[in-house]
PDB file of all heavy atoms in Angstrom:
ATOM      1  N   VAL A1468       0.859  -1.187   0.000  1.00  0.00           N
ATOM      2  CA  VAL A1468       0.000   0.000   0.000  1.00  0.00           C
ATOM      3  C   VAL A1468       0.891   1.230   0.000  1.00  0.00           C
ATOM      4  O   VAL A1468       1.734   1.401   0.891  1.00  0.00           O
ATOM      5  CB  VAL A1468      -0.931   0.006   1.225  1.00  0.00           C
ATOM      6  CG1 VAL A1468      -1.750   1.304   1.256  1.00  0.00           C
ATOM      7  CG2 VAL A1468      -1.860  -1.203   1.196  1.00  0.00           C
ATOM      8  N   THR A1469       0.702   2.089  -0.997  1.00  0.00           N
ATOM      9  CA  THR A1469       1.563   3.265  -1.112  1.00  0.00           C
ATOM     10  C   THR A1469       0.804   4.578  -0.968  1.00  0.00           C
ATOM     11  O   THR A1469       1.424   5.628  -0.767  1.00  0.00           O
ATOM     12  CB  THR A1469       2.296   3.263  -2.466  1.00  0.00           C
ATOM     13  OG1 THR A1469       1.349   3.089  -3.522  1.00  0.00           O
ATOM     14  CG2 THR A1469       3.315   2.136  -2.502  1.00  0.00           C
ATOM     15  N   GLU A1470      -0.529   4.544  -1.094  1.00  0.00           N
ATOM     16  CA  GLU A1470      -1.294   5.782  -0.925  1.00  0.00           C
ATOM     17  C   GLU A1470      -2.704   5.440  -0.484  1.00  0.00           C
ATOM     18  O   GLU A1470      -3.310   4.494  -0.988  1.00  0.00           O
ATOM     19  CB  GLU A1470      -1.344   6.581  -2.228  1.00  0.00           C
ATOM     20  CG  GLU A1470      -2.072   7.923  -2.090  1.00  0.00           C
ATOM     21  CD  GLU A1470      -2.149   8.690  -3.399  1.00  0.00           C
ATOM     22  OE1 GLU A1470      -1.631   8.197  -4.410  1.00  0.00           O
ATOM     23  OE2 GLU A1470      -2.757   9.783  -3.405  1.00  0.00           O
ATOM     24  N   VAL A1471      -3.224   6.213   0.475  1.00  0.00           N
ATOM     25  CA  VAL A1471      -4.582   6.016   0.967  1.00  0.00           C
ATOM     26  C   VAL A1471      -5.289   7.363   1.023  1.00  0.00           C
ATOM     27  O   VAL A1471      -4.779   8.308   1.627  1.00  0.00           O
ATOM     28  CB  VAL A1471      -4.587   5.373   2.370  1.00  0.00           C
ATOM     29  CG1 VAL A1471      -6.024   5.209   2.871  1.00  0.00           C
ATOM     30  CG2 VAL A1471      -3.874   4.031   2.360  1.00  0.00           C
ATOM     31  N   ARG A1472      -6.439   7.434   0.375  1.00  0.00           N
ATOM     32  CA  ARG A1472      -7.334   8.580   0.527  1.00  0.00           C
ATOM     33  C   ARG A1472      -8.569   8.042   1.230  1.00  0.00           C
ATOM     34  O   ARG A1472      -9.384   7.362   0.601  1.00  0.00           O
ATOM     35  CB  ARG A1472      -7.685   9.183  -0.836  1.00  0.00           C
ATOM     36  CG  ARG A1472      -6.490   9.808  -1.556  1.00  0.00           C
ATOM     37  CD  ARG A1472      -6.854  10.222  -2.963  1.00  0.00           C
ATOM     38  NE  ARG A1472      -7.990  11.133  -2.974  1.00  0.00           N
ATOM     39  CZ  ARG A1472      -8.906  11.160  -3.932  1.00  0.00           C
ATOM     40  NH1 ARG A1472      -8.849  10.310  -4.941  1.00  0.00           N
ATOM     41  NH2 ARG A1472      -9.908  12.018  -3.873  1.00  0.00           N
ATOM     42  N   PRO A1473      -8.689   8.275   2.537  1.00  0.00           N
ATOM     43  CA  PRO A1473      -9.740   7.621   3.330  1.00  0.00           C
ATOM     44  C   PRO A1473     -11.121   7.723   2.692  1.00  0.00           C
ATOM     45  O   PRO A1473     -11.584   8.800   2.336  1.00  0.00           O
ATOM     46  CB  PRO A1473      -9.672   8.367   4.664  1.00  0.00           C
ATOM     47  CG  PRO A1473      -8.247   8.792   4.775  1.00  0.00           C
ATOM     48  CD  PRO A1473      -7.844   9.162   3.370  1.00  0.00           C
ATOM     49  N   GLY A1474     -11.750   6.564   2.548  1.00  0.00           N
ATOM     50  CA  GLY A1474     -13.088   6.494   1.993  1.00  0.00           C
ATOM     51  C   GLY A1474     -13.163   6.638   0.498  1.00  0.00           C
ATOM     52  O   GLY A1474     -14.225   6.428  -0.091  1.00  0.00           O
ATOM     53  N   ALA A1475     -12.051   6.999  -0.150  1.00  0.00           N
ATOM     54  CA  ALA A1475     -12.089   7.312  -1.580  1.00  0.00           C
ATOM     55  C   ALA A1475     -11.252   6.364  -2.435  1.00  0.00           C
ATOM     56  O   ALA A1475     -11.731   5.851  -3.446  1.00  0.00           O
ATOM     57  CB  ALA A1475     -11.626   8.749  -1.820  1.00  0.00           C
ATOM     58  N   SER A1476      -9.992   6.131  -2.061  1.00  0.00           N
ATOM     59  CA  SER A1476      -9.146   5.289  -2.907  1.00  0.00           C
ATOM     60  C   SER A1476      -7.964   4.738  -2.123  1.00  0.00           C
ATOM     61  O   SER A1476      -7.543   5.311  -1.114  1.00  0.00           O
ATOM     62  CB  SER A1476      -8.636   6.059  -4.134  1.00  0.00           C
ATOM     63  OG  SER A1476      -7.671   7.014  -3.745  1.00  0.00           O
ATOM     64  N   VAL A1477      -7.451   3.637  -2.632  1.00  0.00           N
ATOM     65  CA  VAL A1477      -6.231   3.020  -2.107  1.00  0.00           C
ATOM     66  C   VAL A1477      -5.375   2.644  -3.308  1.00  0.00           C
ATOM     67  O   VAL A1477      -5.873   2.078  -4.291  1.00  0.00           O
ATOM     68  CB  VAL A1477      -6.535   1.759  -1.267  1.00  0.00           C
ATOM     69  CG1 VAL A1477      -5.244   1.071  -0.832  1.00  0.00           C
ATOM     70  CG2 VAL A1477      -7.378   2.107  -0.052  1.00  0.00           C
ATOM     71  N   THR A1478      -4.096   2.957  -3.239  1.00  0.00           N
ATOM     72  CA  THR A1478      -3.174   2.614  -4.313  1.00  0.00           C
ATOM     73  C   THR A1478      -2.206   1.546  -3.828  1.00  0.00           C
ATOM     74  O   THR A1478      -1.577   1.691  -2.771  1.00  0.00           O
ATOM     75  CB  THR A1478      -2.383   3.839  -4.793  1.00  0.00           C
ATOM     76  OG1 THR A1478      -3.311   4.828  -5.282  1.00  0.00           O
ATOM     77  CG2 THR A1478      -1.425   3.466  -5.902  1.00  0.00           C
ATOM     78  N   LEU A1479      -2.112   0.464  -4.600  1.00  0.00           N
ATOM     79  CA  LEU A1479      -1.175  -0.622  -4.329  1.00  0.00           C
ATOM     80  C   LEU A1479      -0.097  -0.599  -5.399  1.00  0.00           C
ATOM     81  O   LEU A1479      -0.397  -0.488  -6.593  1.00  0.00           O
ATOM     82  CB  LEU A1479      -1.890  -1.975  -4.362  1.00  0.00           C
ATOM     83  CG  LEU A1479      -3.187  -2.113  -3.556  1.00  0.00           C
ATOM     84  CD1 LEU A1479      -3.819  -3.480  -3.810  1.00  0.00           C
ATOM     85  CD2 LEU A1479      -2.922  -1.926  -2.074  1.00  0.00           C
ATOM     86  N   THR A1480       1.142  -0.697  -4.989  1.00  0.00           N
ATOM     87  CA  THR A1480       2.263  -0.669  -5.920  1.00  0.00           C
ATOM     88  C   THR A1480       2.998  -2.006  -5.874  1.00  0.00           C
ATOM     89  O   THR A1480       3.288  -2.519  -4.784  1.00  0.00           O
ATOM     90  CB  THR A1480       3.233   0.472  -5.587  1.00  0.00           C
ATOM     91  OG1 THR A1480       2.518   1.721  -5.643  1.00  0.00           O
ATOM     92  CG2 THR A1480       4.392   0.513  -6.570  1.00  0.00           C
ATOM     93  N   ARG A1481       3.272  -2.548  -7.043  1.00  0.00           N
ATOM     94  CA  ARG A1481       3.927  -3.855  -7.109  1.00  0.00           C
ATOM     95  C   ARG A1481       5.331  -3.771  -6.528  1.00  0.00           C
ATOM     96  O   ARG A1481       6.097  -2.854  -6.833  1.00  0.00           O
ATOM     97  CB  ARG A1481       3.974  -4.352  -8.562  1.00  0.00           C
ATOM     98  CG  ARG A1481       4.443  -5.795  -8.701  1.00  0.00           C
ATOM     99  CD  ARG A1481       3.972  -6.396 -10.029  1.00  0.00           C
ATOM    100  NE  ARG A1481       4.460  -5.643 -11.164  1.00  0.00           N
ATOM    101  CZ  ARG A1481       5.629  -5.863 -11.766  1.00  0.00           C
ATOM    102  NH1 ARG A1481       6.429  -6.802 -11.318  1.00  0.00           N
ATOM    103  NH2 ARG A1481       5.990  -5.144 -12.804  1.00  0.00           N
ATOM    104  N   ASN A1482       5.651  -4.727  -5.685  1.00  0.00           N
ATOM    105  CA  ASN A1482       6.967  -4.788  -5.050  1.00  0.00           C
ATOM    106  C   ASN A1482       7.955  -5.413  -6.041  1.00  0.00           C
ATOM    107  O   ASN A1482       7.838  -6.596  -6.367  1.00  0.00           O
ATOM    108  CB  ASN A1482       6.879  -5.635  -3.776  1.00  0.00           C
ATOM    109  CG  ASN A1482       8.207  -5.750  -3.048  1.00  0.00           C
ATOM    110  OD1 ASN A1482       9.198  -5.143  -3.457  1.00  0.00           O
ATOM    111  ND2 ASN A1482       8.236  -6.532  -1.989  1.00  0.00           N
ATOM    112  N   PRO A1483       8.922  -4.653  -6.532  1.00  0.00           N
ATOM    113  CA  PRO A1483       9.863  -5.212  -7.518  1.00  0.00           C
ATOM    114  C   PRO A1483      10.718  -6.329  -6.934  1.00  0.00           C
ATOM    115  O   PRO A1483      11.295  -7.135  -7.682  1.00  0.00           O
ATOM    116  CB  PRO A1483      10.713  -4.001  -7.917  1.00  0.00           C
ATOM    117  CG  PRO A1483      10.604  -3.060  -6.770  1.00  0.00           C
ATOM    118  CD  PRO A1483       9.232  -3.252  -6.203  1.00  0.00           C
ATOM    119  N   ASP A1484      10.799  -6.385  -5.610  1.00  0.00           N
ATOM    120  CA  ASP A1484      11.584  -7.425  -4.952  1.00  0.00           C
ATOM    121  C   ASP A1484      10.703  -8.535  -4.382  1.00  0.00           C
ATOM    122  O   ASP A1484      11.137  -9.265  -3.480  1.00  0.00           O
ATOM    123  CB  ASP A1484      12.416  -6.806  -3.820  1.00  0.00           C
ATOM    124  CG  ASP A1484      13.380  -5.748  -4.324  1.00  0.00           C
ATOM    125  OD1 ASP A1484      13.990  -5.971  -5.391  1.00  0.00           O
ATOM    126  OD2 ASP A1484      13.511  -4.689  -3.669  1.00  0.00           O
ATOM    127  N   TYR A1485       9.473  -8.637  -4.888  1.00  0.00           N
ATOM    128  CA  TYR A1485       8.566  -9.671  -4.385  1.00  0.00           C
ATOM    129  C   TYR A1485       9.240 -11.034  -4.451  1.00  0.00           C
ATOM    130  O   TYR A1485       9.654 -11.496  -5.504  1.00  0.00           O
ATOM    131  CB  TYR A1485       7.275  -9.668  -5.201  1.00  0.00           C
ATOM    132  CG  TYR A1485       6.348 -10.818  -4.903  1.00  0.00           C
ATOM    133  CD1 TYR A1485       6.016 -11.165  -3.589  1.00  0.00           C
ATOM    134  CD2 TYR A1485       5.807 -11.575  -5.941  1.00  0.00           C
ATOM    135  CE1 TYR A1485       5.167 -12.221  -3.328  1.00  0.00           C
ATOM    136  CE2 TYR A1485       4.932 -12.625  -5.681  1.00  0.00           C
ATOM    137  CZ  TYR A1485       4.632 -12.957  -4.373  1.00  0.00           C
ATOM    138  OH  TYR A1485       3.786 -14.009  -4.113  1.00  0.00           O
ATOM    139  N   TRP A1486       9.304 -11.675  -3.314  1.00  0.00           N
ATOM    140  CA  TRP A1486      10.067 -12.911  -3.192  1.00  0.00           C
ATOM    141  C   TRP A1486       9.494 -14.059  -4.022  1.00  0.00           C
ATOM    142  O   TRP A1486      10.229 -14.933  -4.481  1.00  0.00           O
ATOM    143  CB  TRP A1486      10.108 -13.342  -1.717  1.00  0.00           C
ATOM    144  CG  TRP A1486       8.785 -13.907  -1.261  1.00  0.00           C
ATOM    145  CD1 TRP A1486       7.710 -13.228  -0.794  1.00  0.00           C
ATOM    146  CD2 TRP A1486       8.408 -15.286  -1.319  1.00  0.00           C
ATOM    147  NE1 TRP A1486       6.678 -14.075  -0.539  1.00  0.00           N
ATOM    148  CE2 TRP A1486       7.073 -15.349  -0.849  1.00  0.00           C
ATOM    149  CE3 TRP A1486       9.039 -16.468  -1.713  1.00  0.00           C
ATOM    150  CZ2 TRP A1486       6.373 -16.554  -0.765  1.00  0.00           C
ATOM    151  CZ3 TRP A1486       8.352 -17.662  -1.623  1.00  0.00           C
ATOM    152  CH2 TRP A1486       7.031 -17.701  -1.150  1.00  0.00           C
ATOM    153  N   GLY A1487       8.157 -14.069  -4.239  1.00  0.00           N
ATOM    154  CA  GLY A1487       7.514 -15.232  -4.848  1.00  0.00           C
ATOM    155  C   GLY A1487       7.207 -15.101  -6.320  1.00  0.00           C
ATOM    156  O   GLY A1487       6.450 -15.913  -6.862  1.00  0.00           O
ATOM    157  N   ARG A1488       7.790 -14.116  -6.998  1.00  0.00           N
ATOM    158  CA  ARG A1488       7.374 -13.839  -8.375  1.00  0.00           C
ATOM    159  C   ARG A1488       7.634 -15.001  -9.335  1.00  0.00           C
ATOM    160  O   ARG A1488       6.969 -15.113 -10.372  1.00  0.00           O
ATOM    161  CB  ARG A1488       8.067 -12.579  -8.887  1.00  0.00           C
ATOM    162  CG  ARG A1488       9.587 -12.639  -8.920  1.00  0.00           C
ATOM    163  CD  ARG A1488      10.176 -11.303  -9.370  1.00  0.00           C
ATOM    164  NE  ARG A1488      11.635 -11.313  -9.351  1.00  0.00           N
ATOM    165  CZ  ARG A1488      12.364 -10.988  -8.289  1.00  0.00           C
ATOM    166  NH1 ARG A1488      11.744 -10.612  -7.171  1.00  0.00           N
ATOM    167  NH2 ARG A1488      13.676 -11.018  -8.328  1.00  0.00           N
ATOM    168  N   ASP A1489       8.578 -15.898  -9.007  1.00  0.00           N
ATOM    169  CA  ASP A1489       8.891 -17.009  -9.914  1.00  0.00           C
ATOM    170  C   ASP A1489       8.273 -18.327  -9.477  1.00  0.00           C
ATOM    171  O   ASP A1489       8.545 -19.375 -10.088  1.00  0.00           O
ATOM    172  CB  ASP A1489      10.418 -17.169 -10.030  1.00  0.00           C
ATOM    173  CG  ASP A1489      11.071 -15.958 -10.685  1.00  0.00           C
ATOM    174  OD1 ASP A1489      10.471 -15.418 -11.629  1.00  0.00           O
ATOM    175  OD2 ASP A1489      12.167 -15.557 -10.256  1.00  0.00           O
ATOM    176  N   LEU A1490       7.450 -18.309  -8.447  1.00  0.00           N
ATOM    177  CA  LEU A1490       6.789 -19.540  -8.019  1.00  0.00           C
ATOM    178  C   LEU A1490       5.766 -19.977  -9.069  1.00  0.00           C
ATOM    179  O   LEU A1490       5.149 -19.131  -9.734  1.00  0.00           O
ATOM    180  CB  LEU A1490       6.081 -19.327  -6.685  1.00  0.00           C
ATOM    181  CG  LEU A1490       6.952 -19.088  -5.447  1.00  0.00           C
ATOM    182  CD1 LEU A1490       6.045 -18.811  -4.245  1.00  0.00           C
ATOM    183  CD2 LEU A1490       7.852 -20.284  -5.170  1.00  0.00           C
ATOM    184  N   PRO A1491       5.520 -21.270  -9.215  1.00  0.00           N
ATOM    185  CA  PRO A1491       4.502 -21.727 -10.184  1.00  0.00           C
ATOM    186  C   PRO A1491       3.118 -21.128  -9.921  1.00  0.00           C
ATOM    187  O   PRO A1491       2.382 -20.862 -10.872  1.00  0.00           O
ATOM    188  CB  PRO A1491       4.501 -23.247  -9.992  1.00  0.00           C
ATOM    189  CG  PRO A1491       5.861 -23.577  -9.470  1.00  0.00           C
ATOM    190  CD  PRO A1491       6.252 -22.404  -8.620  1.00  0.00           C
ATOM    191  N   VAL A1492       2.753 -20.902  -8.648  1.00  0.00           N
ATOM    192  CA  VAL A1492       1.423 -20.355  -8.350  1.00  0.00           C
ATOM    193  C   VAL A1492       1.348 -18.860  -8.596  1.00  0.00           C
ATOM    194  O   VAL A1492       0.259 -18.274  -8.530  1.00  0.00           O
ATOM    195  CB  VAL A1492       1.011 -20.653  -6.890  1.00  0.00           C
ATOM    196  CG1 VAL A1492       0.801 -22.136  -6.669  1.00  0.00           C
ATOM    197  CG2 VAL A1492       2.019 -20.075  -5.891  1.00  0.00           C
ATOM    198  N   ALA A1493       2.482 -18.211  -8.877  1.00  0.00           N
ATOM    199  CA  ALA A1493       2.491 -16.760  -9.102  1.00  0.00           C
ATOM    200  C   ALA A1493       2.872 -16.380 -10.524  1.00  0.00           C
ATOM    201  O   ALA A1493       2.624 -15.247 -10.934  1.00  0.00           O
ATOM    202  CB  ALA A1493       3.456 -16.088  -8.119  1.00  0.00           C
ATOM    203  N   ARG A1494       3.428 -17.302 -11.265  1.00  0.00           N
ATOM    204  CA  ARG A1494       3.878 -16.986 -12.618  1.00  0.00           C
ATOM    205  C   ARG A1494       2.678 -16.612 -13.487  1.00  0.00           C
ATOM    206  O   ARG A1494       1.697 -17.349 -13.559  1.00  0.00           O
ATOM    207  CB  ARG A1494       4.627 -18.180 -13.208  1.00  0.00           C
ATOM    208  CG  ARG A1494       5.369 -17.869 -14.496  1.00  0.00           C
ATOM    209  CD  ARG A1494       6.274 -19.022 -14.917  1.00  0.00           C
ATOM    210  NE  ARG A1494       7.394 -19.177 -13.972  1.00  0.00           N
ATOM    211  CZ  ARG A1494       7.643 -20.287 -13.291  1.00  0.00           C
ATOM    212  NH1 ARG A1494       6.858 -21.334 -13.414  1.00  0.00           N
ATOM    213  NH2 ARG A1494       8.680 -20.348 -12.487  1.00  0.00           N
ATOM    214  N   GLY A1495       2.738 -15.456 -14.131  1.00  0.00           N
ATOM    215  CA  GLY A1495       1.641 -14.981 -14.960  1.00  0.00           C
ATOM    216  C   GLY A1495       0.595 -14.182 -14.212  1.00  0.00           C
ATOM    217  O   GLY A1495      -0.359 -13.688 -14.811  1.00  0.00           O
ATOM    218  N   LEU A1496       0.762 -14.040 -12.886  1.00  0.00           N
ATOM    219  CA  LEU A1496      -0.164 -13.246 -12.078  1.00  0.00           C
ATOM    220  C   LEU A1496       0.521 -11.948 -11.648  1.00  0.00           C
ATOM    221  O   LEU A1496       1.726 -11.776 -11.807  1.00  0.00           O
ATOM    222  CB  LEU A1496      -0.606 -14.022 -10.835  1.00  0.00           C
ATOM    223  CG  LEU A1496      -1.776 -15.001 -10.989  1.00  0.00           C
ATOM    224  CD1 LEU A1496      -1.351 -16.217 -11.811  1.00  0.00           C
ATOM    225  CD2 LEU A1496      -2.283 -15.447  -9.633  1.00  0.00           C
ATOM    226  N   TRP A1497      -0.305 -11.019 -11.076  1.00  0.00           N
ATOM    227  CA  TRP A1497       0.208  -9.788 -10.473  1.00  0.00           C
ATOM    228  C   TRP A1497       1.051  -9.005 -11.484  1.00  0.00           C
ATOM    229  O   TRP A1497       2.212  -8.696 -11.247  1.00  0.00           O
ATOM    230  CB  TRP A1497       1.043 -10.099  -9.228  1.00  0.00           C
ATOM    231  CG  TRP A1497       0.494 -11.210  -8.383  1.00  0.00           C
ATOM    232  CD1 TRP A1497       1.094 -12.398  -8.104  1.00  0.00           C
ATOM    233  CD2 TRP A1497      -0.762 -11.212  -7.684  1.00  0.00           C
ATOM    234  NE1 TRP A1497       0.295 -13.165  -7.288  1.00  0.00           N
ATOM    235  CE2 TRP A1497      -0.851 -12.466  -7.015  1.00  0.00           C
ATOM    236  CE3 TRP A1497      -1.822 -10.316  -7.572  1.00  0.00           C
ATOM    237  CZ2 TRP A1497      -1.957 -12.818  -6.247  1.00  0.00           C
ATOM    238  CZ3 TRP A1497      -2.923 -10.676  -6.805  1.00  0.00           C
ATOM    239  CH2 TRP A1497      -2.977 -11.903  -6.149  1.00  0.00           C
ATOM    240  N   ASN A1498       0.441  -8.698 -12.636  1.00  0.00           N
ATOM    241  CA  ASN A1498       1.198  -8.146 -13.756  1.00  0.00           C
ATOM    242  C   ASN A1498       1.244  -6.625 -13.801  1.00  0.00           C
ATOM    243  O   ASN A1498       2.066  -6.066 -14.531  1.00  0.00           O
ATOM    244  CB  ASN A1498       0.594  -8.671 -15.065  1.00  0.00           C
ATOM    245  CG  ASN A1498       0.637 -10.186 -15.138  1.00  0.00           C
ATOM    246  OD1 ASN A1498       1.672 -10.804 -14.886  1.00  0.00           O
ATOM    247  ND2 ASN A1498      -0.489 -10.804 -15.459  1.00  0.00           N
ATOM    248  N   PHE A1499       0.378  -5.941 -13.066  1.00  0.00           N
ATOM    249  CA  PHE A1499       0.327  -4.480 -13.135  1.00  0.00           C
ATOM    250  C   PHE A1499       1.311  -3.858 -12.146  1.00  0.00           C
ATOM    251  O   PHE A1499       1.434  -4.308 -11.007  1.00  0.00           O
ATOM    252  CB  PHE A1499      -1.089  -3.989 -12.839  1.00  0.00           C
ATOM    253  CG  PHE A1499      -2.099  -4.439 -13.852  1.00  0.00           C
ATOM    254  CD1 PHE A1499      -2.826  -5.610 -13.664  1.00  0.00           C
ATOM    255  CD2 PHE A1499      -2.309  -3.711 -15.017  1.00  0.00           C
ATOM    256  CE1 PHE A1499      -3.745  -6.037 -14.592  1.00  0.00           C
ATOM    257  CE2 PHE A1499      -3.235  -4.130 -15.962  1.00  0.00           C
ATOM    258  CZ  PHE A1499      -3.951  -5.298 -15.752  1.00  0.00           C
ATOM    259  N   ASP A1500       1.978  -2.813 -12.595  1.00  0.00           N
ATOM    260  CA  ASP A1500       2.873  -2.095 -11.683  1.00  0.00           C
ATOM    261  C   ASP A1500       2.091  -1.424 -10.563  1.00  0.00           C
ATOM    262  O   ASP A1500       2.602  -1.268  -9.452  1.00  0.00           O
ATOM    263  CB  ASP A1500       3.675  -1.032 -12.445  1.00  0.00           C
ATOM    264  CG  ASP A1500       4.781  -1.638 -13.294  1.00  0.00           C
ATOM    265  OD1 ASP A1500       5.120  -2.817 -13.080  1.00  0.00           O
ATOM    266  OD2 ASP A1500       5.294  -0.932 -14.189  1.00  0.00           O
ATOM    267  N   GLU A1501       0.864  -1.040 -10.875  1.00  0.00           N
ATOM    268  CA  GLU A1501       0.051  -0.341  -9.884  1.00  0.00           C
ATOM    269  C   GLU A1501      -1.389  -0.830  -9.984  1.00  0.00           C
ATOM    270  O   GLU A1501      -1.915  -1.032 -11.081  1.00  0.00           O
ATOM    271  CB  GLU A1501       0.118   1.169 -10.132  1.00  0.00           C
ATOM    272  CG  GLU A1501      -0.557   2.019  -9.082  1.00  0.00           C
ATOM    273  CD  GLU A1501      -0.351   3.503  -9.336  1.00  0.00           C
ATOM    274  OE1 GLU A1501       0.752   4.007  -9.034  1.00  0.00           O
ATOM    275  OE2 GLU A1501      -1.278   4.152  -9.871  1.00  0.00           O
ATOM    276  N   VAL A1502      -2.012  -1.019  -8.841  1.00  0.00           N
ATOM    277  CA  VAL A1502      -3.430  -1.348  -8.752  1.00  0.00           C
ATOM    278  C   VAL A1502      -4.083  -0.280  -7.895  1.00  0.00           C
ATOM    279  O   VAL A1502      -3.676  -0.070  -6.745  1.00  0.00           O
ATOM    280  CB  VAL A1502      -3.660  -2.742  -8.145  1.00  0.00           C
ATOM    281  CG1 VAL A1502      -5.153  -2.989  -7.930  1.00  0.00           C
ATOM    282  CG2 VAL A1502      -3.072  -3.822  -9.044  1.00  0.00           C
ATOM    283  N   ARG A1503      -5.075   0.377  -8.462  1.00  0.00           N
ATOM    284  CA  ARG A1503      -5.750   1.439  -7.725  1.00  0.00           C
ATOM    285  C   ARG A1503      -7.202   1.046  -7.481  1.00  0.00           C
ATOM    286  O   ARG A1503      -7.890   0.591  -8.401  1.00  0.00           O
ATOM    287  CB  ARG A1503      -5.691   2.749  -8.501  1.00  0.00           C
ATOM    288  CG  ARG A1503      -6.427   3.894  -7.813  1.00  0.00           C
ATOM    289  CD  ARG A1503      -6.076   5.217  -8.422  1.00  0.00           C
ATOM    290  NE  ARG A1503      -7.117   6.206  -8.180  1.00  0.00           N
ATOM    291  CZ  ARG A1503      -6.931   7.513  -8.301  1.00  0.00           C
ATOM    292  NH1 ARG A1503      -5.763   7.974  -8.645  1.00  0.00           N
ATOM    293  NH2 ARG A1503      -7.921   8.336  -8.088  1.00  0.00           N
ATOM    294  N   LEU A1504      -7.648   1.208  -6.256  1.00  0.00           N
ATOM    295  CA  LEU A1504      -9.005   0.877  -5.853  1.00  0.00           C
ATOM    296  C   LEU A1504      -9.759   2.169  -5.609  1.00  0.00           C
ATOM    297  O   LEU A1504      -9.501   2.870  -4.626  1.00  0.00           O
ATOM    298  CB  LEU A1504      -8.986   0.023  -4.581  1.00  0.00           C
ATOM    299  CG  LEU A1504      -8.007  -1.161  -4.572  1.00  0.00           C
ATOM    300  CD1 LEU A1504      -7.919  -1.762  -3.180  1.00  0.00           C
ATOM    301  CD2 LEU A1504      -8.408  -2.202  -5.585  1.00  0.00           C
ATOM    302  N   ASP A1505     -10.657   2.507  -6.526  1.00  0.00           N
ATOM    303  CA  ASP A1505     -11.452   3.733  -6.395  1.00  0.00           C
ATOM    304  C   ASP A1505     -12.853   3.360  -5.912  1.00  0.00           C
ATOM    305  O   ASP A1505     -13.482   2.439  -6.447  1.00  0.00           O
ATOM    306  CB  ASP A1505     -11.550   4.464  -7.734  1.00  0.00           C
ATOM    307  CG  ASP A1505     -10.269   5.195  -8.089  1.00  0.00           C
ATOM    308  OD1 ASP A1505      -9.433   5.394  -7.187  1.00  0.00           O
ATOM    309  OD2 ASP A1505     -10.096   5.554  -9.270  1.00  0.00           O
ATOM    310  N   PHE A1506     -13.363   4.111  -4.940  1.00  0.00           N
ATOM    311  CA  PHE A1506     -14.655   3.815  -4.332  1.00  0.00           C
ATOM    312  C   PHE A1506     -15.683   4.859  -4.753  1.00  0.00           C
ATOM    313  O   PHE A1506     -15.397   6.056  -4.788  1.00  0.00           O
ATOM    314  CB  PHE A1506     -14.529   3.781  -2.806  1.00  0.00           C
ATOM    315  CG  PHE A1506     -13.776   2.574  -2.307  1.00  0.00           C
ATOM    316  CD1 PHE A1506     -12.393   2.522  -2.355  1.00  0.00           C
ATOM    317  CD2 PHE A1506     -14.454   1.477  -1.803  1.00  0.00           C
ATOM    318  CE1 PHE A1506     -11.696   1.407  -1.908  1.00  0.00           C
ATOM    319  CE2 PHE A1506     -13.776   0.351  -1.356  1.00  0.00           C
ATOM    320  CZ  PHE A1506     -12.392   0.325  -1.407  1.00  0.00           C
ATOM    321  N   TYR A1507     -16.892   4.366  -5.060  1.00  0.00           N
ATOM    322  CA  TYR A1507     -17.990   5.217  -5.483  1.00  0.00           C
ATOM    323  C   TYR A1507     -19.180   4.984  -4.563  1.00  0.00           C
ATOM    324  O   TYR A1507     -19.509   3.846  -4.232  1.00  0.00           O
ATOM    325  CB  TYR A1507     -18.382   4.917  -6.938  1.00  0.00           C
ATOM    326  CG  TYR A1507     -17.293   5.257  -7.926  1.00  0.00           C
ATOM    327  CD1 TYR A1507     -16.274   4.350  -8.214  1.00  0.00           C
ATOM    328  CD2 TYR A1507     -17.258   6.503  -8.548  1.00  0.00           C
ATOM    329  CE1 TYR A1507     -15.261   4.659  -9.110  1.00  0.00           C
ATOM    330  CE2 TYR A1507     -16.248   6.824  -9.443  1.00  0.00           C
ATOM    331  CZ  TYR A1507     -15.247   5.899  -9.716  1.00  0.00           C
ATOM    332  OH  TYR A1507     -14.244   6.223 -10.595  1.00  0.00           O
TER     333      TYR A1507
END
């Protein structure tokens, strides 16, 4: 979590050092550098 606007949005940033990126259960997943959750 890199940014929080209470009640409005949360920004998640991909960890470039994510330990599990080469695991079979993670390969091909979690592809976006950033995931933003906007609330309406």
Side-chain angles (χ1 to χ4, degrees):
V1468 176
T1469 52
E1470 183 182 359
V1471 179
R1472 294 173 56 214
S1476 71
V1477 175
T1478 300
L1479 311 175
T1480 301
R1481 189 158 59 88
N1482 180 3
D1484 300 319
Y1485 172 48
W1486 74 275
R1488 61 183 177 271
D1489 295 321
L1490 292 176
V1492 293
R1494 191 171 292 121
L1496 276 71
W1497 321 118
N1498 300 311
F1499 296 93
D1500 286 345
E1501 186 175 282
V1502 174
R1503 178 166 157 162
L1504 313 170
D1505 284 344
F1506 289 79
Y1507 295 85

